[in-house]
């Protein structure tokens, strides 16, 4: 079926460029350089872009280390990539250790209790089961507190030898703000803890962290959002290639005139004679309601404002400035595209590109470009 056929059925087509995902990984892997590695964070269905196609493409490109948030995500990824290293960021507990061991998933151990549970599993199996240790250097969210990490380094030597700790990691709170003093504070804390916990590889930099300089790199980069085309350096031009494009089809065009209103709540009042076009995308598809009267879509190179409220399945556009023959039922509109990438949509919605991507709806027809399978 061609684009139009899918648009007739789904209202919108989400194109995901796997070559761009792979290209973005190569860019970051190139910054890592020889002797260091680049993992891929593929939690939340690869940031809404699609776990299976993304994971397969990156594995084929040479990526060997993957991070997910949840055990369930790790199990799904294990089916897709039988031989990849899969780290599960929320870690294991007494109820899940056996599943981790059976599927060779590596828990990221975040608390003394998680470490203890893993230690007991290693002793029970008589095997150094692989895992990571996460030290919280300033997020105060997840990971060992600095004092707990120091105590582990001093008093837990036997325990550390019994487990297969192959990664020590921490996570940056302010990496996208290169001037933020917290970056250097966290770096100093992580360097200190790394000296005390020298086992396995060290991993510190998320997408933006990679661009803070070589000190932040350590052994394994841990990018997520940059792989999917979001700008990891918001103060500079985006070094990543765009990955997603969302195209919708106009389903109706209507004439309006002064003092008519458009949409729920009658929030948009028409000022003069003009035309309103409606597309079948709405907040149920992740086109956030905060884009009401603030989003911009494109018809070709021409910006077209969203007017009135975004509804569940529909968005209304003011197309009065375009010639009638260029705006008809069937005309294709870029909701996310070359002129309005996910970062720009996010700015208009008052959020971040991460949320735009992870909200991408389930009703879109998904077309994967460069898919091997
Ligand atoms: C989500 C996440 C990442 C990836 O962050 P990006 O900003 O998307 O690159 C890396 N590490 C941890 C611990 C995370 O939770």
């Amino acid at each position: 079926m061609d684009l139009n056929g899918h648009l007739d059925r789904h209202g919108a087509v989400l194109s995901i460029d796997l070559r761009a995902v792979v290209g973005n990984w190569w860019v970051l892997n190139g910054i890592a350089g020889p002797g260091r590695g680049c993992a891929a964070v593929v939690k939340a269905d690869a940031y809404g872009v699609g776990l299976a196609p993304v994971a397969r493409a990156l594995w084929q490109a040479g990526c060997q280390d993957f991070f997910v948030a949840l055990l369930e995500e790790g199990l799904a990824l294990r089916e897709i990539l039988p031989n990849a290293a899969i780290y599960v960021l929320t870690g294991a507990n007494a109820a899940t250790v056996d599943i981790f061991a059976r599927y060779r998933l590596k828990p990221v151990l975040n608390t003394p209790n998680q470490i203890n549970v893993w230690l007991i599993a290693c002793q029970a199996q008589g095997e150094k089961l692989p895992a990571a240790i996460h030290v919280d250097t300033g997020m105060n969210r997840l990971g060992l507190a600095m004092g707990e990490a120091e105590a582990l380094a001093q008093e837990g030597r036997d325990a550390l030898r019994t487990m297969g700790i192959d990664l020590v990691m921490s996570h940056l709170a302010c990496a996208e703000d290169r001037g933020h003093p917290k970056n250097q504070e966290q770096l100093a804390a992580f360097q200190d803890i790394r000296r005390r916990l020298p086992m396995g590889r060290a991993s510190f930099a998320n997408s933006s962290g990679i661009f803070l300089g070589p000190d932040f790199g350590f052994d394994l980069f841990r990018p997520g959002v940059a792989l999917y085309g979001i700008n990891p350096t918001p103060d500079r031009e985006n070094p990543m290639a765009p990955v997603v494009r969302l195209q919708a089809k106009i389903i109706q065009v209507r004439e309006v005139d002064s003092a008519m209103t458009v949409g729920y709540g009658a929030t948009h009042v028409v000022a003069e004679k003009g035309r309103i076009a409606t597309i079948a995308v709405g907040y149920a598809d992740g086109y956030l309601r905060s884009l009401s009267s603030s989003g911009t879509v494109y018809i070709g190179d021409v910006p077209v404002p969203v007017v009135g409220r975004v509804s569940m399945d529909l968005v209304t556009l003011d197309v009065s400035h375009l010639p009638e023959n260029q705006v008809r039922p069937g005309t294709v509109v870029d909701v996310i595209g070359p002129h309005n990438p996910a970062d720009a949509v996010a700015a208009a919605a008052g959020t971040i590109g991460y949320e735009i991507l992870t909200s991408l709806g389930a009703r879109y027809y998904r077309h994967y470009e460069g898919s091997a399978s």
Side-chain angles (χ1 to χ4, degrees), residues 41 43 47 89 134 141 169 171 206-208 222-226 354:
V41 180
K43 61 196 181 190
Y47 289 51
L89 289 164
H134 183 187
R141 186 182 68 165
M169 58 170 270
H171 191 48
N206 68 333
S207 297
S208 295
R222 223 170 52 236
V225 85
Y354 296 74

Side-chain angles (χ1 to χ4, degrees), residues 93-176:
N93 61 28
T96 60
V97 276
D98 291 344
I99 308 174
F100 275 87
R102 192 176 329 137
Y103 291 93
R104 294 168 291 113
L105 303 174
K106 305 184 190 195
V108 175
L109 305 172
N110 297 292
T111 67
N113 186 56
Q114 288 189 345
I115 291 174
N116 221 19
V117 161
W118 198 247
L119 175 63
I120 291 165
C122 291
Q123 288 166 336
Q125 303 222 358
E127 204 184 325
K128 290 189 175 192
L129 299 169
I133 288 177
H134 183 187
V135 181
D136 191 319
T137 52
M139 279 282 259
N140 290 307
R141 186 182 68 165
L142 193 61
L144 295 178
M146 287 297 285
E148 290 170 339
E150 282 163 22
L152 175 69
Q154 272 177 14
E155 297 145 30
R157 292 189 184 281
D158 288 343
L160 289 167
R161 266 195 292 273
T162 307
M163 297 182 287
I165 302 301
D166 67 8
L167 187 79
V168 175
M169 58 170 270
S170 189
H171 191 48
L172 286 157
C174 308
E176 68 290 340

Side-chain angles (χ1 to χ4, degrees), residues 314-360:
L314 300 169
V315 168
T316 38
L317 310 168
D318 187 342
V319 292
S320 310
H321 56 305
L322 279 152
E324 256 172 71
N325 64 1
Q326 282 181 26
V327 187
R328 294 188 170 133
T331 299
V332 176
V333 169
D334 270 315
V335 180
I336 300 173
H339 299 293
N340 54 342
D343 282 309
V345 177
T351 184
I352 51 178
Y354 296 74
E355 192 176 25
I356 298 299
L357 293 187
T358 56
S359 302
L360 287 168

